[in-house]
Amino acid sequence: MIIPHYYEDPHTLHVGTMPNRAYYIPASRRSDALVEHRETSDRFQLLNGSWKFRYYASIYDLQDAFYEVGYDASAFDSIPVPSVWQNHGYDHYQYTNIRYPFPADPPYVPKENPCGAYLYDFTYQKDAAAPRAFLNFEGVASCFYVWLNGQFVGYSQVAHSTSEFDVTKFLQDGTNHLAVLVLKWCDGSYMEDQDMFRLSGIHRDVYLVASPKVRLRDIHLTSQISDRLDKAELKVKTDVHNYGKKVQEATVRVSLLNTEGKPVSSFIIPTGKITGGQENVCEGTTTIRDPRLWSAETPSLYTVQLELLDAAGNVLEATSQQYGFRKIEIRNNKVYINNALILFKGANR
C-alpha cells in the first residue's frame, strides 16, 4: 500500500490540518460583499472545475505513486469538482437507514474499499502582502490524503465539514500540481451511519486563501440582550496569530452596521505583543440601544466588520460577518424567543 494506514486508525483523525475556526473569507480591505460573495476577495482562489480522475474498486488496486510530479495520467478520466463519483458512472448508489453499509468490525472497513485518485493543475501568484496560503476542502467523503507538487500535505476524515491545510511551504509561483486520494470508507464511517445515501468524492468547494504573517485566525461573536429587549451587548473575541519570527503588535477595528448598512458602533481591540509562532486571544464589547432583534418572521441581520491593523494603522486583512441579536429562554419548560412564546411543530424534533 502506497499510503499510511490512517483510515483504520481511531487515534489519527487528521494529519497536517489547521485548528478548527469560524468560517469566514478574508480580503486585503473592508468589503460588505464578502458575506455572500466571497469570490470578490482578492485573497480567495477557487479551485473548482474539471479534475483528472481515476477510480479503483479497492485501495489495494492502487499501486502507483500517482501524486508525483510528471506521473503519466493519460489513463485518467475527468470529473467535475465538486461532485460525487456515483453520479458519473463509478461505483454504485447505496442507501441504508438501519444497518451499517458493510459488515461491522470497527475500526476496520472492507478490503474492497473503493477510492478515487484526483489530479488538478493550477496557477498561483504569491502576494508579498499575504505570503501565507491555506488550502481548504469544504467536504470530502469519507476521508482523503493530499499532496501538493509531489509532497505530502496531510490527511483528514470529516465528510461534511471543512479541512484546512497550511500549504505555504509547498506552493510555488506559477504552475502547481495538486493530488488527492479519496477513500469511500474509513473508521469514521462507523460514526456517520444514518438514514442517507452513501455517496463519495470531493463533494464541496476547494479553494485557497492567502493571508499576511499576522492574521485573524479565528472569530467568536456572542451577545447578551436585556430583559426589556431595549439593549444589546455584543462581545467580539478574536484569535490573532503571528506566523513571523519577530514580536508583533496589532489592533482589531470592529465596526457594527445596522440592517440598512449604517454604522451604529465602532471600537478597537488591542492584541498586545504577539510572539513569533504564537497567537493572542483578545476581546472587546460594545452596547447598542433598541436593537432590531432577529426572529424567523423578521430576520434582521447586522453586519460586523473586522479589520486587522498593524502598528502603523495599515490594514493587514479584513472580513465581515452577519449577526442577529435574539434572546432565547426556557421558562417553566416553555421556549421564548424575544419574550414571545414559541410553539414548535413538525417531525424529527
Side-chain angles (χ1 to χ4, degrees), residues 97-140:
N97 65 341
I98 297 176
R99 298 177 180 176
Y100 280 112
F102 48 76
D105 183 24
Y108 306 108
V109 295
K111 185 176 180 180
E112 291 71 32
N113 188 5
C115 65
Y118 293 77
L119 297 174
Y120 186 69
D121 291 335
F122 64 93
T123 301
Y124 184 78
Q125 186 64 47
K126 292 184 179 182
D127 181 0
R132 309 297 303 186
F134 299 88
L135 176 62
N136 289 262
F137 292 83
E138 291 198 334
V140 182

Short mmCIF file of all heavy atoms in Angstrom, two decimals, residues 97-140:
data_model
loop_
_atom_site.label_atom_id
_atom_site.label_comp_id
_atom_site.label_asym_id
_atom_site.label_seq_id
_atom_site.Cartn_x
_atom_site.Cartn_y
_atom_site.Cartn_z
N ASN A 97 -30.70 2.67 6.19
CA ASN A 97 -31.18 3.52 7.28
C ASN A 97 -31.16 2.81 8.63
O ASN A 97 -31.44 3.42 9.66
CB ASN A 97 -32.59 4.02 7.00
CG ASN A 97 -33.61 2.89 6.96
OD1 ASN A 97 -33.26 1.72 6.79
ND2 ASN A 97 -34.88 3.23 7.10
N ILE A 98 -30.82 1.51 8.64
CA ILE A 98 -30.80 0.77 9.91
C ILE A 98 -29.45 0.09 10.09
O ILE A 98 -28.76 0.30 11.09
CB ILE A 98 -31.93 -0.28 9.96
CG1 ILE A 98 -33.30 0.41 9.89
CG2 ILE A 98 -31.83 -1.10 11.24
CD1 ILE A 98 -34.46 -0.54 9.83
N ARG A 99 -29.05 -0.71 9.13
CA ARG A 99 -27.81 -1.47 9.25
C ARG A 99 -26.64 -0.68 8.70
O ARG A 99 -26.80 0.25 7.91
CB ARG A 99 -27.94 -2.80 8.49
CG ARG A 99 -29.02 -3.72 9.02
CD ARG A 99 -29.12 -4.97 8.18
NE ARG A 99 -30.16 -5.88 8.69
CZ ARG A 99 -30.51 -7.01 8.10
NH1 ARG A 99 -29.90 -7.39 6.97
NH2 ARG A 99 -31.46 -7.77 8.62
N TYR A 100 -25.45 -1.07 9.12
CA TYR A 100 -24.24 -0.49 8.52
C TYR A 100 -24.16 -0.88 7.05
O TYR A 100 -24.63 -1.96 6.65
CB TYR A 100 -22.99 -0.97 9.26
CG TYR A 100 -22.71 -0.23 10.54
CD1 TYR A 100 -22.83 -0.87 11.78
CD2 TYR A 100 -22.32 1.10 10.52
CE1 TYR A 100 -22.57 -0.19 12.96
CE2 TYR A 100 -22.06 1.79 11.69
CZ TYR A 100 -22.20 1.14 12.91
OH TYR A 100 -21.95 1.83 14.06
N PRO A 101 -23.53 -0.05 6.22
CA PRO A 101 -23.44 -0.35 4.79
C PRO A 101 -22.42 -1.43 4.45
O PRO A 101 -22.27 -1.79 3.29
CB PRO A 101 -23.04 0.99 4.18
CG PRO A 101 -22.32 1.69 5.27
CD PRO A 101 -22.99 1.28 6.55
N PHE A 102 -21.70 -1.93 5.47
CA PHE A 102 -20.73 -3.01 5.27
C PHE A 102 -20.68 -3.82 6.57
O PHE A 102 -21.17 -3.36 7.62
CB PHE A 102 -19.34 -2.45 4.92
CG PHE A 102 -18.89 -1.34 5.80
CD1 PHE A 102 -18.42 -1.57 7.10
CD2 PHE A 102 -18.92 -0.01 5.36
CE1 PHE A 102 -18.01 -0.55 7.92
CE2 PHE A 102 -18.51 1.03 6.19
CZ PHE A 102 -18.06 0.76 7.47
N PRO A 103 -20.11 -5.02 6.56
CA PRO A 103 -20.04 -5.83 7.78
C PRO A 103 -19.30 -5.08 8.89
O PRO A 103 -18.21 -4.56 8.69
CB PRO A 103 -19.26 -7.08 7.34
CG PRO A 103 -19.51 -7.17 5.88
CD PRO A 103 -19.60 -5.76 5.38
N ALA A 104 -19.91 -5.00 10.07
CA ALA A 104 -19.36 -4.21 11.18
C ALA A 104 -18.21 -4.94 11.86
O ALA A 104 -18.38 -6.05 12.37
CB ALA A 104 -20.45 -3.90 12.18
N ASP A 105 -17.04 -4.31 11.85
CA ASP A 105 -15.86 -4.83 12.54
C ASP A 105 -14.97 -3.65 12.89
O ASP A 105 -13.83 -3.54 12.42
CB ASP A 105 -15.11 -5.83 11.63
CG ASP A 105 -13.91 -6.47 12.33
OD1 ASP A 105 -13.92 -6.50 13.59
OD2 ASP A 105 -12.98 -6.90 11.63
N PRO A 106 -15.48 -2.72 13.70
CA PRO A 106 -14.72 -1.48 13.97
C PRO A 106 -13.39 -1.77 14.65
O PRO A 106 -13.30 -2.68 15.46
CB PRO A 106 -15.67 -0.71 14.90
CG PRO A 106 -16.56 -1.75 15.52
CD PRO A 106 -16.72 -2.81 14.49
N PRO A 107 -12.35 -0.99 14.27
CA PRO A 107 -12.36 0.18 13.38
C PRO A 107 -12.09 -0.17 11.91
O PRO A 107 -11.80 0.72 11.12
CB PRO A 107 -11.21 1.02 13.93
CG PRO A 107 -10.21 0.00 14.36
CD PRO A 107 -11.02 -1.15 14.92
N TYR A 108 -12.16 -1.45 11.57
CA TYR A 108 -11.78 -1.88 10.23
C TYR A 108 -12.93 -1.74 9.24
O TYR A 108 -14.11 -1.84 9.61
CB TYR A 108 -11.27 -3.32 10.27
CG TYR A 108 -10.16 -3.52 11.27
CD1 TYR A 108 -10.39 -4.21 12.46
CD2 TYR A 108 -8.90 -2.95 11.07
CE1 TYR A 108 -9.39 -4.37 13.39
CE2 TYR A 108 -7.89 -3.09 12.00
CZ TYR A 108 -8.14 -3.81 13.17
OH TYR A 108 -7.14 -3.94 14.11
N VAL A 109 -12.57 -1.52 7.99
CA VAL A 109 -13.53 -1.44 6.90
C VAL A 109 -13.18 -2.49 5.86
O VAL A 109 -12.09 -3.08 5.92
CB VAL A 109 -13.53 -0.02 6.27
CG1 VAL A 109 -14.01 1.01 7.29
CG2 VAL A 109 -12.14 0.35 5.76
N PRO A 110 -14.05 -2.79 4.92
CA PRO A 110 -13.76 -3.86 3.95
C PRO A 110 -12.48 -3.62 3.17
O PRO A 110 -12.12 -2.48 2.86
CB PRO A 110 -14.98 -3.83 3.04
CG PRO A 110 -16.07 -3.24 3.87
CD PRO A 110 -15.40 -2.23 4.75
N LYS A 111 -11.80 -4.71 2.83
CA LYS A 111 -10.62 -4.61 1.98
C LYS A 111 -11.00 -4.06 0.62
O LYS A 111 -10.22 -3.34 -0.01
CB LYS A 111 -9.96 -5.98 1.85
CG LYS A 111 -8.65 -5.97 1.07
CD LYS A 111 -8.00 -7.34 1.06
CE LYS A 111 -6.69 -7.31 0.29
NZ LYS A 111 -6.04 -8.66 0.26
N GLU A 112 -12.18 -4.40 0.15
CA GLU A 112 -12.69 -3.84 -1.10
C GLU A 112 -13.23 -2.43 -0.82
O GLU A 112 -14.43 -2.18 -0.88
CB GLU A 112 -13.79 -4.73 -1.70
CG GLU A 112 -13.31 -6.06 -2.23
CD GLU A 112 -12.91 -7.03 -1.12
OE1 GLU A 112 -13.52 -6.96 -0.02
OE2 GLU A 112 -11.97 -7.82 -1.33
N ASN A 113 -12.31 -1.56 -0.52
CA ASN A 113 -12.63 -0.18 -0.17
C ASN A 113 -12.36 0.71 -1.38
O ASN A 113 -11.21 1.03 -1.68
CB ASN A 113 -11.78 0.26 1.02
CG ASN A 113 -12.19 1.62 1.57
OD1 ASN A 113 -13.15 2.21 1.12
ND2 ASN A 113 -11.43 2.11 2.54
N PRO A 114 -13.40 1.10 -2.13
CA PRO A 114 -13.17 1.90 -3.34
C PRO A 114 -12.47 3.22 -3.04
O PRO A 114 -12.61 3.78 -1.94
CB PRO A 114 -14.59 2.14 -3.87
CG PRO A 114 -15.41 1.04 -3.29
CD PRO A 114 -14.82 0.78 -1.93
N CYS A 115 -11.75 3.71 -4.02
CA CYS A 115 -11.07 5.00 -3.86
C CYS A 115 -11.00 5.71 -5.20
O CYS A 115 -11.13 5.11 -6.27
CB CYS A 115 -9.67 4.82 -3.27
SG CYS A 115 -8.52 3.91 -4.30
N GLY A 116 -10.79 7.01 -5.14
CA GLY A 116 -10.66 7.83 -6.33
C GLY A 116 -9.43 8.69 -6.25
O GLY A 116 -9.19 9.36 -5.24
N ALA A 117 -8.61 8.67 -7.31
CA ALA A 117 -7.40 9.49 -7.39
C ALA A 117 -7.72 10.73 -8.22
O ALA A 117 -8.18 10.61 -9.37
CB ALA A 117 -6.26 8.70 -8.01
N TYR A 118 -7.48 11.90 -7.66
CA TYR A 118 -7.77 13.17 -8.31
C TYR A 118 -6.47 13.92 -8.59
O TYR A 118 -5.56 13.95 -7.75
CB TYR A 118 -8.62 14.06 -7.41
CG TYR A 118 -10.04 13.60 -7.14
CD1 TYR A 118 -10.31 12.58 -6.24
CD2 TYR A 118 -11.12 14.24 -7.76
CE1 TYR A 118 -11.62 12.20 -5.95
CE2 TYR A 118 -12.43 13.86 -7.49
CZ TYR A 118 -12.67 12.85 -6.59
OH TYR A 118 -13.97 12.46 -6.31
N LEU A 119 -6.40 14.59 -9.74
CA LEU A 119 -5.26 15.43 -10.10
C LEU A 119 -5.76 16.76 -10.65
O LEU A 119 -6.73 16.80 -11.42
CB LEU A 119 -4.38 14.74 -11.15
CG LEU A 119 -3.70 13.42 -10.76
CD1 LEU A 119 -3.00 12.81 -11.96
CD2 LEU A 119 -2.71 13.65 -9.62
N TYR A 120 -5.08 17.83 -10.26
CA TYR A 120 -5.50 19.15 -10.75
C TYR A 120 -4.30 20.07 -10.78
O TYR A 120 -3.55 20.18 -9.80
CB TYR A 120 -6.57 19.74 -9.84
CG TYR A 120 -7.17 21.03 -10.33
CD1 TYR A 120 -7.98 21.07 -11.46
CD2 TYR A 120 -6.92 22.24 -9.67
CE1 TYR A 120 -8.54 22.25 -11.91
CE2 TYR A 120 -7.47 23.43 -10.11
CZ TYR A 120 -8.29 23.42 -11.23
OH TYR A 120 -8.84 24.60 -11.68
N ASP A 121 -4.08 20.74 -11.91
CA ASP A 121 -3.01 21.73 -12.06
C ASP A 121 -3.62 23.12 -12.05
O ASP A 121 -4.64 23.38 -12.70
CB ASP A 121 -2.25 21.51 -13.37
CG ASP A 121 -1.42 20.23 -13.35
OD1 ASP A 121 -1.06 19.77 -12.26
OD2 ASP A 121 -1.15 19.68 -14.44
N PHE A 122 -2.99 24.02 -11.32
CA PHE A 122 -3.48 25.40 -11.23
C PHE A 122 -2.30 26.35 -11.14
O PHE A 122 -1.19 25.97 -10.78
CB PHE A 122 -4.41 25.57 -10.03
CG PHE A 122 -3.73 25.37 -8.69
CD1 PHE A 122 -3.20 26.44 -7.99
CD2 PHE A 122 -3.63 24.10 -8.14
CE1 PHE A 122 -2.57 26.25 -6.76
CE2 PHE A 122 -3.02 23.90 -6.91
CZ PHE A 122 -2.48 24.98 -6.22
N THR A 123 -2.58 27.61 -11.44
CA THR A 123 -1.55 28.65 -11.38
C THR A 123 -1.76 29.50 -10.14
O THR A 123 -2.90 29.86 -9.79
CB THR A 123 -1.62 29.54 -12.63
OG1 THR A 123 -1.43 28.73 -13.80
CG2 THR A 123 -0.54 30.61 -12.59
N TYR A 124 -0.65 29.79 -9.46
CA TYR A 124 -0.73 30.60 -8.24
C TYR A 124 0.34 31.68 -8.30
O TYR A 124 1.48 31.42 -8.70
CB TYR A 124 -0.52 29.72 -7.00
CG TYR A 124 -0.68 30.47 -5.70
CD1 TYR A 124 -1.93 30.77 -5.21
CD2 TYR A 124 0.44 30.88 -4.96
CE1 TYR A 124 -2.09 31.45 -4.00
CE2 TYR A 124 0.28 31.56 -3.76
CZ TYR A 124 -0.98 31.84 -3.29
OH TYR A 124 -1.13 32.51 -2.11
N GLN A 125 -0.05 32.88 -7.91
CA GLN A 125 0.87 34.01 -7.85
C GLN A 125 1.01 34.47 -6.41
O GLN A 125 0.03 34.91 -5.80
CB GLN A 125 0.38 35.17 -8.72
CG GLN A 125 1.36 36.33 -8.83
CD GLN A 125 2.66 35.95 -9.53
OE1 GLN A 125 2.63 35.33 -10.59
NE2 GLN A 125 3.79 36.32 -8.95
N LYS A 126 2.19 34.35 -5.84
CA LYS A 126 2.38 34.73 -4.45
C LYS A 126 2.26 36.24 -4.28
O LYS A 126 2.66 37.02 -5.15
CB LYS A 126 3.75 34.25 -3.95
CG LYS A 126 3.87 32.73 -3.85
CD LYS A 126 5.20 32.31 -3.25
CE LYS A 126 5.30 30.80 -3.13
NZ LYS A 126 6.58 30.36 -2.51
N ASP A 127 1.70 36.64 -3.15
CA ASP A 127 1.49 38.05 -2.82
C ASP A 127 2.37 38.41 -1.63
O ASP A 127 2.26 37.79 -0.56
CB ASP A 127 0.01 38.27 -2.49
CG ASP A 127 -0.32 39.72 -2.15
OD1 ASP A 127 0.60 40.56 -2.17
OD2 ASP A 127 -1.50 39.99 -1.86
N ALA A 128 3.25 39.37 -1.79
CA ALA A 128 4.17 39.75 -0.72
C ALA A 128 3.42 40.24 0.51
O ALA A 128 3.90 40.07 1.64
CB ALA A 128 5.14 40.84 -1.22
N ALA A 129 2.25 40.84 0.32
CA ALA A 129 1.47 41.33 1.46
C ALA A 129 0.69 40.22 2.15
O ALA A 129 0.22 40.40 3.28
CB ALA A 129 0.50 42.42 1.00
N ALA A 130 0.55 39.07 1.49
CA ALA A 130 -0.18 37.94 2.06
C ALA A 130 0.55 36.65 1.69
O ALA A 130 0.10 35.88 0.85
CB ALA A 130 -1.62 37.92 1.56
N PRO A 131 1.72 36.41 2.31
CA PRO A 131 2.56 35.30 1.90
C PRO A 131 2.11 33.92 2.39
O PRO A 131 2.56 32.91 1.89
CB PRO A 131 3.92 35.65 2.50
CG PRO A 131 3.58 36.46 3.72
CD PRO A 131 2.36 37.23 3.36
N ARG A 132 1.21 33.87 3.39
CA ARG A 132 0.72 32.58 3.88
C ARG A 132 -0.40 32.09 2.97
O ARG A 132 -1.17 32.88 2.43
CB ARG A 132 0.21 32.69 5.30
CG ARG A 132 1.14 33.34 6.29
CD ARG A 132 2.42 32.57 6.50
NE ARG A 132 2.20 31.19 6.94
CZ ARG A 132 3.18 30.37 7.30
NH1 ARG A 132 4.45 30.79 7.25
NH2 ARG A 132 2.94 29.14 7.70
N ALA A 133 -0.49 30.78 2.80
CA ALA A 133 -1.53 30.20 1.94
C ALA A 133 -2.13 28.98 2.60
O ALA A 133 -1.41 28.13 3.14
CB ALA A 133 -0.95 29.83 0.58
N PHE A 134 -3.46 28.90 2.56
CA PHE A 134 -4.19 27.82 3.21
C PHE A 134 -5.13 27.16 2.20
O PHE A 134 -5.89 27.84 1.52
CB PHE A 134 -4.97 28.35 4.41
CG PHE A 134 -4.10 28.96 5.46
CD1 PHE A 134 -3.75 30.31 5.41
CD2 PHE A 134 -3.58 28.20 6.49
CE1 PHE A 134 -2.92 30.89 6.36
CE2 PHE A 134 -2.74 28.76 7.46
CZ PHE A 134 -2.42 30.10 7.38
N LEU A 135 -5.04 25.83 2.12
CA LEU A 135 -5.85 25.05 1.21
C LEU A 135 -7.05 24.49 1.96
O LEU A 135 -6.89 23.83 2.99
CB LEU A 135 -5.01 23.92 0.61
CG LEU A 135 -5.71 22.92 -0.31
CD1 LEU A 135 -6.26 23.61 -1.56
CD2 LEU A 135 -4.75 21.80 -0.70
N ASN A 136 -8.25 24.76 1.45
CA ASN A 136 -9.48 24.38 2.14
C ASN A 136 -10.30 23.40 1.31
O ASN A 136 -10.55 23.63 0.12
CB ASN A 136 -10.33 25.62 2.41
CG ASN A 136 -9.74 26.52 3.47
OD1 ASN A 136 -10.13 26.46 4.63
ND2 ASN A 136 -8.79 27.36 3.07
N PHE A 137 -10.73 22.32 1.95
CA PHE A 137 -11.69 21.38 1.39
C PHE A 137 -12.94 21.47 2.26
O PHE A 137 -12.91 21.15 3.44
CB PHE A 137 -11.15 19.95 1.41
CG PHE A 137 -9.99 19.70 0.49
CD1 PHE A 137 -8.69 20.03 0.89
CD2 PHE A 137 -10.18 19.14 -0.75
CE1 PHE A 137 -7.61 19.80 0.06
CE2 PHE A 137 -9.10 18.90 -1.60
CZ PHE A 137 -7.82 19.24 -1.20
N GLU A 138 -14.06 21.87 1.67
CA GLU A 138 -15.27 22.07 2.48
C GLU A 138 -16.06 20.79 2.70
O GLU A 138 -16.97 20.77 3.53
CB GLU A 138 -16.16 23.14 1.84
CG GLU A 138 -15.54 24.53 1.92
CD GLU A 138 -16.55 25.64 1.69
OE1 GLU A 138 -17.57 25.39 1.02
OE2 GLU A 138 -16.31 26.76 2.18
N GLY A 139 -15.73 19.72 2.00
CA GLY A 139 -16.42 18.46 2.23
C GLY A 139 -15.89 17.37 1.33
O GLY A 139 -15.92 17.49 0.11
N VAL A 140 -15.36 16.29 1.94
CA VAL A 140 -14.84 15.14 1.20
C VAL A 140 -15.30 13.89 1.94
O VAL A 140 -15.09 13.76 3.15
CB VAL A 140 -13.30 15.16 1.10
CG1 VAL A 140 -12.82 13.97 0.27
CG2 VAL A 140 -12.80 16.46 0.50
#
